[in-house]
Amino acid sequence: MPAVKCGWMLAALMAAAAPAFAVGMGPLAKSGLTDGPRKAFYLTVINPYPAAASFKAYAVGVDDEEVQSRVRILPEATIRIGAKQNRRILVVADDLEPGETFAFRVCAAKAEMVEGMVHARVCSKLSARRIAPRA
């Protein structure tokens, strides 16, 4: 009986000591100025898993989950990243008006949902400001 109890305790300890995998992204906040109608940002999506995986990246509002149609993510919204590798994505905010500050989030999550696994995501807060013309 004590051996069974020790086995359960050892299994629980090993599960707690195992790394918690979740998608990574950086930087988590970035802002920039532009004098034109577009502003681009580079973000890095990180695959912490021991196997290749697909991740999706998408733009939402700062305080809500509303899809931001003025934001493009290149090369595409779903990307495949090798085991323990990372990949840069280009995020472009379009249609900026003179003097406008446009804030939004770009989030990344694993593309496939796995039963019994927490579907974690990470978001980066981005802000693009177009300089107003001189009077």
Side-chain angles (χ1 to χ4, degrees):
M1 196 75 146
V4 172
K5 195 175 209 179
C6 286
W8 282 105
M9 288 176 27
L10 181 60
L13 180 61
M14 289 185 69
F21 295 124
V23 61
M25 187 163 57
L28 294 178
K30 197 168 191 179
S31 63
L33 295 173
T34 184
D35 61 353
R38 290 179 199 86
K39 176 62 184 160
F41 301 94
Y42 278 111
L43 297 178
T44 302
V45 180
I46 302 163
N47 176 5
Y49 298 99
S54 293
F55 297 90
K56 62 181 178 178
Y58 52 96
V60 293
V62 172
D63 297 320
D64 56 38
E65 296 299 312
E66 185 176 332
V67 175
Q68 300 298 303
S69 60
R70 293 170 43 185
V71 177
R72 291 180 290 141
I73 299 173
L74 303 169
E76 55 195 44
T78 302
I79 55 175
R80 185 121 178 114
I81 304 174
K84 305 244 182 216
Q85 300 292 311
N86 60 55
R87 183 162 177 197
R88 285 174 61 176
I89 59 173
L90 180 66
V91 177
V92 182
D94 286 318
D95 302 325
L96 298 171
E97 296 294 326
E100 175 188 14
T101 298
F102 176 46
F104 58 97
R105 291 179 297 152
V106 171
C107 300
K110 203 165 180 193
E112 307 93 23
M113 296 201 43
V114 178
E115 183 71 30
M117 185 178 201
V118 175
H119 194 66
R121 73 174 184 176
V122 63
C123 298
S124 180
K125 291 183 182 179
L126 303 175
S127 174
R129 184 176 184 298
R130 182 172 178 184
I131 299 170
R134 292 185 185 193

